[in-house]
Amino acid sequence: MKTAILEEAHLAAAHELERLCFTNPWSEDALTHLLQEGNFGAVVLVGETVAAYAGLVVALDEGEITNVATHPDHRRCGYARDLLRFLLAEAARRGLCRVTLEVRESNCAARSLYDSLGFAPCGKRKNFYSHPREDALILEKML
């Protein structure tokens, strides 16, 4: 297992993870936004296979984690934690002072993971998610 920066060669696999994990997946074209100046993503590679990916979009000195997706066959292996630690370390290395993300209010597993990494609630987005409709909690971590 290896965690690395997301590269163009990983986009098709990241898109497939989007389709497997989310009701409203990002398109492969939308994922190219993570390769644009300032933004970045990370992948967990098991051999040559992209087992998980996450992205972070940068605005000035702040970042927003976009999605964290792990292939169903690779869940409960700690890959999401590895990705988040990697993204947070890279964000700090790049001089960001704050990272935020949104999470479904009912997603207890993700919320527990984010809490264990030092994220704290800072707001809510009413009806942010669809399929099913649900509020999002906004979490932040100061770096």
Side-chain angles (χ1 to χ4, degrees), residues 4 6 16 37-38 55 59 61 65 69 79 84 87 89 92 98-99 102 108 115-116 140:
L6 176 78
E16 182 59 25
E37 186 177 337
D61 63 350
I65 294 175
Y79 295 160
L84 290 165
L87 288 181
R98 176 178 181 243
V99 173
E102 288 106 2
C108 295
D115 181 61
S116 75
E140 71 177 347

Side-chain angles (χ1 to χ4, degrees), residues 33-46:
H33 186 66
L34 296 174
L35 302 177
Q36 295 176 355
E37 186 177 337
N39 303 332
F40 58 97
V43 293
V44 170
L45 299 170
V46 176

Side-chain angles (χ1 to χ4, degrees), residues 88-101:
L88 292 170
E90 184 64 19
R93 190 188 71 73
R94 293 180 184 207
L96 303 185
C97 66
R98 176 178 181 243
V99 173
T100 63
L101 58 83

Side-chain angles (χ1 to χ4, degrees), residues 101-106 111 121-125 129 135-139:
L101 58 83
E102 288 106 2
V103 62
R104 282 185 182 270
E105 214 167 15
S106 66
R111 288 176 59 189
C122 67
K124 186 183 276 196
R125 298 196 196 285
Y129 294 104
D135 296 348
L137 293 179
I138 305 168
L139 306 179

Side-chain angles (χ1 to χ4, degrees), residues 23-84:
T23 56
N24 292 317
W26 285 24
S27 68
E28 193 170 334
D29 283 343
L31 289 171
T32 63
H33 186 66
L34 296 174
L35 302 177
Q36 295 176 355
E37 186 177 337
N39 303 332
F40 58 97
V43 293
V44 170
L45 299 170
V46 176
E48 297 297 315
T49 301
V50 175
Y53 103 95
L56 192 140
V57 174
V58 176
L60 300 174
D61 63 350
E62 296 187 358
E64 179 182 1
I65 294 175
T66 55
N67 284 335
V68 179
T70 303
H71 190 284
D73 292 344
H74 295 280
R75 291 191 179 146
R76 312 288 303 162
C77 296
Y79 295 160
R81 180 178 304 280
D82 291 342
L83 284 171
L84 290 165

Side-chain angles (χ1 to χ4, degrees), residues 109-131:
R111 288 176 59 189
S112 177
L113 171 62
Y114 300 140
D115 181 61
S116 75
L117 293 169
F119 283 87
C122 67
K124 186 183 276 196
R125 298 196 196 285
K126 193 81 173 144
N127 296 319
F128 183 76
Y129 294 104
S130 56
H131 309 306

